[in-house]
Amino acid sequence: MPILNRAAELQAEVAEWRRHLHSRPELLFDVHETAAFVEEKLKTFGCDEVVTGIGRTGVVALIKGRDRGSGRVIGLRADMDALPIKETTGKPWSSTVDGKMHACGHDGHTAMLLGAAKYLSETRNFDGTVAVIFQPAEEGGGGGDEMVKDGMMERFEIDEVFGMHNMPGLPAGEFATRTGAIMAATDEFTITVRGRGGHAAMPYQTVDPITIAAQVVSGLQLIASRNANPLESIVVSVTKFNAGSAYNVIPEEAELAGTVRTLNADLRAMAEQRIDQIVHNIADAHNAEATVKYKRGYPVTYNHADQTDFSVGVAGEIAGSEKVNATATPTMGGEDFSFMLEARPGSFIFIGNGDTAALHHPDFDFNDEIIPYGISYWVKLAETALTKN
């Protein structure tokens, strides 16, 4: 089955929605205008129930099928928030909000799910209920976690949940996923090294936090190269190093910060423990003091086997089985759909965005040509999962 004719017919209208959202980006939970746009469309479509304020600013709508004997509810999720990046695309629909842009394609995700909601509301060719989920604050705010904690799964009696994200570099309209870990856990650390400041001409009278912190940076690289199995994936990146304010003064302290990315719980725990050990042992060796603040972020995005096999079959019907990679290499990026997958069985899939700028790049723009593929995937997934026995 190729893309749905109705999905192709909807492309221009959905692209218009997408470009409107692109021009009005909002960050984290502050997606009030976007949520209002989504709410208005869902009510216009005739969804049976539209609920706002889930997980602070999330929106959930229920679309009931012609038959409801199965009692099953399938959740389909899109994210709504943008990024604090200044756009450089020069497109007519470029961001009108300085310093904010849709650099990850959440405008496209929202628009495609709205297109699917419109189609499903028109046809209702399924047995059960579809819950369309529009989530705030994916970009570091944990909006998925907030929606789960707000009782979304229980309130709407969701049985399974599915997510989709565009992927630059993957040919337009192709799909990629895998069973198990598909995206990494994302943790953050802040390290402060305190020494004894003094004159740069007399470093022997000081305890130099900069040279000590530099050794910490080197030491942290040994976690991946000497503490982890080389067949397992871990990334430890120091992304901030702040110290000093003058050429001739050795400062009192230096601060480091960075991120840890892992694909399993044991490696995640090991990295947290080793960071603490390395920092304190190096500091002790040089008569300095150190503190480590470690913050666990999004968990591993873990695809459940049955739901992933199912999604691969659906994607194959849309794009052709030869254009679906069911054993994709995991990415070390993070995704807070992981919280929903911890709460309910489900699967996360990538849809190709074609040869575009990378995600989180100021020149990125969602590829409107893939809209019919995304709508068709959502519709086919819902109708197949809720087929009347």
Side-chain angles (χ1 to χ4, degrees):
M1 173 184 171
I3 60 173
L4 298 166
N5 290 336
R6 181 64 175 134
E9 292 171 0
L10 285 169
Q11 180 178 355
E13 182 179 16
V14 174
E16 184 178 341
W17 300 342
R18 199 281 298 182
R19 294 176 182 186
H20 168 78
L21 293 172
H22 188 93
S23 71
R24 301 295 304 167
E26 297 176 294
L27 304 182
L28 296 171
F29 291 99
D30 188 22
V31 291
H32 302 286
E33 184 178 326
T34 304
F37 179 89
V38 168
E39 178 189 8
E40 186 273 330
K41 293 297 180 187
L42 294 171
K43 288 180 176 178
T44 299
F45 302 157
C47 294
D48 297 278
E49 186 177 355
V50 179
V51 183
T52 61
I54 305 296
R56 295 165 61 176
T57 49
V59 182
V60 178
L62 298 182
I63 306 167
K64 297 179 180 180
R66 292 178 186 173
D67 298 300
R68 302 171 200 170
S70 73
R72 299 189 67 229
V73 182
I74 299 298
L76 313 178
R77 173 270 200 176
D79 34 21
M80 298 187 289
D81 58 320
L83 285 156
I85 297 173
K86 185 176 179 62
E87 183 165 357
T88 60
T89 65
K91 297 289 180 65
W93 51 86
S94 291
S95 171
T96 59
V97 185
D98 189 44
K100 300 178 185 179
M101 74 168 289
H102 273 290
C104 203
H106 296 185
D107 51 340
H109 304 162
T110 295
M112 288 192 297
L113 188 54
L114 283 174
K118 181 171 184 176
Y119 181 106
L120 292 168
S121 296
E122 292 172 349
T123 59
R124 299 180 183 266
N125 187 30
F126 51 91
D127 179 8
T129 301
V130 177
V132 286
I133 302 165
F134 296 87
Q135 179 208 305
E138 191 282 323
E139 297 290 357
D145 190 29
E146 290 295 318
M147 295 188 86
V148 171
K149 288 178 178 177
D150 208 8
M152 176 181 71
M153 299 300 182
E154 296 78 14
R155 175 173 179 175
F156 301 106
E157 300 180 328
I158 295 171
D159 298 301
E160 297 178 336
V161 65
F162 295 86
M164 177 165 54
H165 201 293
N166 78 93
M167 177 179 280
L170 183 67
E174 295 192 10
F175 294 87
T177 189
R178 65 177 287 115
T179 296
I182 188 169
M183 297 188 75
T186 57
D187 299 338
E188 299 173 351
F189 59 83
T190 301
I191 299 164
T192 302
V193 178
R194 296 183 181 86
R196 185 173 64 251
H199 201 294
M202 293 169 279
Y204 56 91
Q205 294 180 355
T206 73
V207 175
D208 186 350
I210 294 178
T211 57
I212 297 167
Q215 292 181 54
V216 169
V217 174
S218 296
L220 295 183
Q221 305 314 304
L222 298 177
I223 295 174
S225 67
R226 292 298 180 268
N227 297 136
N229 186 324
L231 299 179
E232 296 181 323
S233 297
I234 179 171
V235 176
V236 180
S237 296
V238 177
T239 56
K240 297 180 183 180
F241 194 135
N242 298 314
S245 59
Y247 288 101
N248 60 348
V249 177
I250 291 174
E252 290 283 321
E253 66 179 42
E255 183 176 273
L256 309 174
T259 183
V260 179
R261 312 283 177 130
T262 51
L263 289 172
N264 68 63
D266 290 342
L267 206 56
R268 189 183 197 186
M270 181 276 289
E272 182 176 358
Q273 179 186 43
R274 288 296 293 140
I275 287 173
D276 191 77
Q277 291 174 335
I278 289 167
V279 170
H280 285 101
N281 287 342
I282 290 176
D284 288 345
H286 296 282
N287 297 317
E289 296 179 354
T291 58
V292 179
K293 295 180 180 178
Y294 196 95
K295 178 184 177 183
R296 289 203 168 201
Y298 299 166
V300 174
T301 304
Y302 192 90
N303 280 343
H304 299 253
D306 290 346
Q307 288 72 25
T308 302
D309 289 344
F310 174 71
S311 69
V312 167
V314 169
E317 291 191 45
I318 302 302
S321 58
E322 73 282 0
K323 295 183 178 180
V324 181
N325 181 358
T327 57
T329 301
T331 171
M332 300 307 285
E335 167 61 62
D336 79 341
F337 186 66
S338 53
F339 291 107
M340 297 190 189
L341 289 175
E342 287 188 332
R344 291 292 185 273
S347 187
F348 191 72
I349 198 167
F350 292 107
I351 182 171
N353 202 55
D355 185 18
T356 65
L359 300 176
H360 293 212
H361 190 281
D363 204 36
F364 173 84
D365 191 30
F366 184 84
N367 184 355
D368 290 331
E369 295 302 313
I370 72 173
I371 286 172
Y373 292 92
I375 294 175
S376 297
Y377 172 78
W378 281 138
V379 169
K380 184 65 176 176
L381 188 148
E383 291 182 343
T384 306
L386 299 175
T387 299
K388 186 174 182 179
N389 293 326

